[in-house]
Amino acid sequence: MNKWLRPALRTTLRLWRRQWSAEATSGASVSTGASSPSSEEAGRVTLNFFCPHQVIAKNRQVVSVIVPAASGLMGILPNHVPTVAQMRPGVVTIIGDGGAEERYFVSSGFTFVHPDRTDICAVEAVRVSDIDPEEVSKALADCEAKLASSSSSAAAGTAEAQRAAVAQIGVDVYLAMQGVVSGTR
Amino acid sequence: MQGVRAVGLSSVRRVYAAARAHVQSSTPGGGGGGGGGVGNFLSSSNEKALGGVRFASLKAVRNRMRSIASIGKITKAMKMVAAAKLRGTQARQDLSRPFAASVRQFFDLLPLEKLGSETKAGVAEPKRRLLVVITSDRGLCGSVNTNVCRLARQMLPHGAASPVSDGVETNIMVIGDKGRDALQRTSAAFFTTTFRDVFKAPVSFPQAVIIAEEILAQSPDEVVIFYNRFKSAISQVPTQQPLLGLQLLMDNASVFDGYEFDSDMDSSQVMVDLFEFEVATQLYGALLENATSEQAARMSAMDNASTNAAEMLDKLTLQYNRERQAVITTELVEIVAGASALQK
């Protein structure tokens, strides 16, 4: 749980830090020449949220988005500095009108903050409400067991190391998922 | 299908000629009321043989009709299956296109044309180029595989027998049985890896990741993906999509200076991860495009085959009936002629 509080605390800091002053923004949009100021000026983020097999949002106007970047949760408000962020397992929160929240768990992927829009490209995304907590803890135990068995024979070849790495990724993802699920209920 | 049709047509023509011979030689005699023509015909030494041929050819036509009808049924069924699969893959592709496009758009900041002049000096060692040719596992899908293989072959150095020529190493990675068979004959020396059964199950991202890992393991300077872009159900465009290698990307990283790279590690690691993500994403997009194209091409190919079969069947049916009537006419003439001969 402690693991989860830290990035959350950082979020608020980042939200402020990432906001650009007005003059900086106008400079950025001139240099890229590709911005569509109409949507951004209205105080909205133009959001695209894609998976390989699913389109969750396309050109949706939202108030803000919070993505689980590798270095901590990252809040994206209009006129955010152009950024490429790698995502770690965590929750993408889309905040619409009147503070209505939509929460998706993503396994990994990238977020591209362009001057005129924000693209979230996740490898896998599911609604947090669709996650079954029992399945998560089962899968987590499974991966932990695999990790334990493979790291006990850590000196063995690369195949074993790869199996351990896969198990480690599984543990990371399911831990994050469990944290999210238990946090919401 | 081609071979079948050629054989069919020639036998039809033979049968037709034989039937005409009967009709022409028999009718004037019959109409004339027992002239010399009929007598000649009956007394000709090969009468028995002619009669044998007459019935055998009727049977041959009937056999051909039956086989064409069943081939027609098969092609029609294949068309239905292809149409159903096309709907599925097309729906999946519609959902995945924006995903691949948005990753692509970021890398489009680095235009390929600009690259040639800027990096030539920087690359001293042999350039490694990997051609990824995406084809289907199964045939009967028109010319999609041929087109893609032809496009890929154009990228190979002319007349070279070994992968390395002029300091550029070219390798081929083939996905799908059909492409392997087509390219093996001419360019087996360039092969590194071949994949099969990729399209057996619906294309998935994990599958693309496995292939992408294989591509990255060869650390090429440039990856060119060849596939059929699905334009519409009747038009598939053979396409080549170049992807830059990691080294070139790193050399030109300044293009991306407008963006802040967020990572808890150093930003070059983000670039590496992003590059790998890009390769997998583009490959996934290309695999889906090709799977959709394959089904679309198969659908139209099988539609054509069914139409051709129906057309042939019509012609043969006409032929069969005409000959059957000729046989009946001949027999009638024989009876009449026989009766009139007895009356004499």
Side-chain angles (χ1 to χ4, degrees):
Chain A
M1 271 307 80
N2 203 7
K3 206 172 178 182
W4 276 95
L5 286 171
R6 248 181 295 130
L9 280 172
R10 234 188 291 172
T11 313
T12 34
L13 288 174
R14 291 173 70 86
L15 266 170
W16 293 113
R17 185 158 62 84
R18 287 301 175 119
Q19 229 42 55
W20 264 29
S21 60
E23 54 268 50
T25 320
S26 61
S29 57
V30 166
S31 68
T32 51
S35 70
S36 57
S38 55
S39 60
E40 299 286 84
E41 268 169 21
R44 293 300 160 95
V45 179
T46 308
L47 176 72
N48 293 315
F49 190 173
F50 301 134
C51 290
H53 49 84
Q54 201 183 357
V55 174
I56 294 172
K58 189 160 192 196
N59 289 330
R60 202 197 289 180
Q61 304 294 316
V62 298
V63 173
S64 74
V65 195
I66 301 170
V67 297
S71 57
L73 291 180
M74 181 171 126
I76 300 164
L77 287 168
N79 302 326
H80 192 282
V81 58
T83 306
V84 177
Q86 196 166 2
M87 291 191 288
R88 54 172 174 69
V91 176
V92 170
T93 310
I94 304 172
I95 301 168
D97 284 318
E101 281 191 10
E102 260 180 77
R103 288 155 57 83
Y104 291 91
F105 185 87
V106 295
S107 61
S108 61
F110 282 87
T111 296
F112 303 93
V113 183
H114 298 290
D116 57 340
R117 66 179 196 283
T118 298
D119 290 354
I120 302 175
C121 296
V123 171
E124 194 71 64
V126 287
R127 275 178 186 279
V128 171
S129 55
D130 290 347
I131 299 176
D132 182 356
E134 281 174 35
E135 284 295 319
V136 172
S137 45
K138 221 183 284 173
L140 178 61
D142 193 34
C143 284
E144 272 170 344
K146 268 188 201 156
L147 183 61
S149 69
S150 52
S151 53
S152 59
S153 53
T158 48
E160 190 62 34
Q162 195 182 5
R163 222 167 299 144
V166 170
Q168 180 63 54
I169 292 169
V171 169
D172 289 349
V173 172
Y174 286 122
L175 260 181
M177 216 185 263
Q178 200 175 38
V180 170
V181 173
S182 57
T184 53
R185 290 171 197 225
Chain B
M1 212 53 222
Q2 201 99 77
V4 169
R5 193 191 303 164
V7 170
L9 279 184
S10 67
S11 80
V12 168
R13 226 169 272 136
R14 243 193 338 267
V15 168
Y16 188 55
R20 276 178 75 96
H22 289 312
V23 173
Q24 277 173 354
S25 58
S26 56
T27 39
V38 177
N40 281 348
F41 180 64
L42 283 175
S43 62
S44 68
S45 59
N46 57 353
E47 188 266 328
K48 246 198 164 107
L50 260 177
V53 167
R54 198 193 296 157
F55 288 109
S57 58
L58 206 57
K59 193 158 184 255
V61 175
R62 210 165 42 222
N63 283 346
R64 285 219 43 72
M65 280 166 65
R66 207 178 299 141
S67 70
I68 287 168
S70 61
I71 288 173
K73 269 181 205 153
I74 293 171
T75 52
K76 204 168 180 185
M78 282 181 81
K79 184 201 151 191
M80 301 289 204
V81 172
K85 281 189 178 170
L86 177 65
R87 261 197 299 277
T89 48
Q90 208 179 341
R92 245 197 322 281
Q93 191 196 13
D94 283 345
L95 291 175
S96 85
R97 253 184 180 164
F99 174 74
S102 77
V103 178
R104 181 74 250 167
Q105 266 167 16
F106 177 73
F107 280 91
D108 277 347
L109 287 174
L110 188 59
L112 285 169
E113 315 82 63
K114 198 178 127 201
L115 199 81
S117 53
E118 275 186 14
T119 51
K120 237 168 209 159
V123 184
E125 55 198 309
K127 228 179 128 187
R128 291 165 57 87
R129 179 186 281 160
L130 183 67
L131 312 183
V132 181
V133 186
I134 303 178
T135 59
S136 68
D137 282 329
R138 305 178 66 194
L140 292 182
C141 51
S143 57
V144 282
N145 292 328
T146 328
N147 288 344
V148 146
C149 290
R150 190 180 302 143
L151 200 62
R153 217 174 274 140
Q154 282 168 2
M155 281 281 277
L156 294 174
H158 265 293
S162 78
V164 184
S165 89
D166 300 333
V168 179
E169 186 180 343
T170 315
N171 285 311
I172 302 182
M173 177 182 278
V174 188
I175 298 167
D177 284 348
K178 287 292 153 190
R180 190 196 56 208
D181 294 347
L183 291 170
Q184 203 164 32
R185 216 159 28 83
T186 52
S187 358
F190 297 89
F191 275 28
T192 55
T193 325
T194 62
F195 290 90
R196 55 181 309 183
D197 292 344
V198 172
F199 297 108
K200 215 164 188 182
V203 178
S204 65
F205 195 68
Q207 203 176 29
V209 169
I210 292 171
I211 300 172
E213 257 173 33
E214 201 66 40
I215 293 174
L216 294 167
Q218 302 189 16
S219 57
D221 293 325
E222 188 185 12
V223 182
V224 189
I225 303 179
F226 295 87
Y227 65 97
N228 281 286
R229 194 165 58 78
F230 176 77
K231 203 169 158 194
S232 73
I234 50 164
S235 168
Q236 300 87 35
V237 190
T239 311
Q240 50 174 309
Q241 182 180 357
L243 300 178
L244 291 178
L246 183 58
Q247 194 52 51
L248 290 179
L249 215 53
M250 287 299 201
D251 292 347
N252 293 278
S254 57
V255 183
F256 304 111
D257 276 354
Y259 288 83
E260 192 175 306
F261 283 83
D262 180 289
S263 169
D264 49 356
M265 298 162 285
D266 59 325
S267 64
S268 68
Q269 184 56 41
V270 178
M271 207 62 193
V272 174
D273 290 348
L274 189 57
F275 167 68
E276 292 177 352
F277 189 65
E278 143 99 338
V279 170
T281 306
Q282 296 313 313
L283 191 68
Y284 176 70
L287 282 175
L288 260 179
E289 291 270 355
N290 204 68
T292 318
S293 298
E294 180 199 338
Q295 297 305 342
R298 176 165 298 130
M299 194 178 81
S300 58
M302 288 301 110
D303 189 36
N304 285 341
S306 308
T307 315
N308 283 344
E311 210 171 279
M312 268 170 80
L313 194 61
D314 278 355
K315 272 185 191 157
L316 276 178
T317 311
L318 198 64
Q319 206 47 65
Y320 176 77
N321 288 337
R322 199 173 281 166
E323 202 197 339
R324 199 169 47 91
Q325 281 177 344
V327 170
I328 294 169
T329 313
T330 314
E331 279 169 359
L332 270 177
V333 166
E334 280 166 5
I335 294 166
V336 170
S340 71
L342 278 177
Q343 271 176 1
K344 265 185 187 170

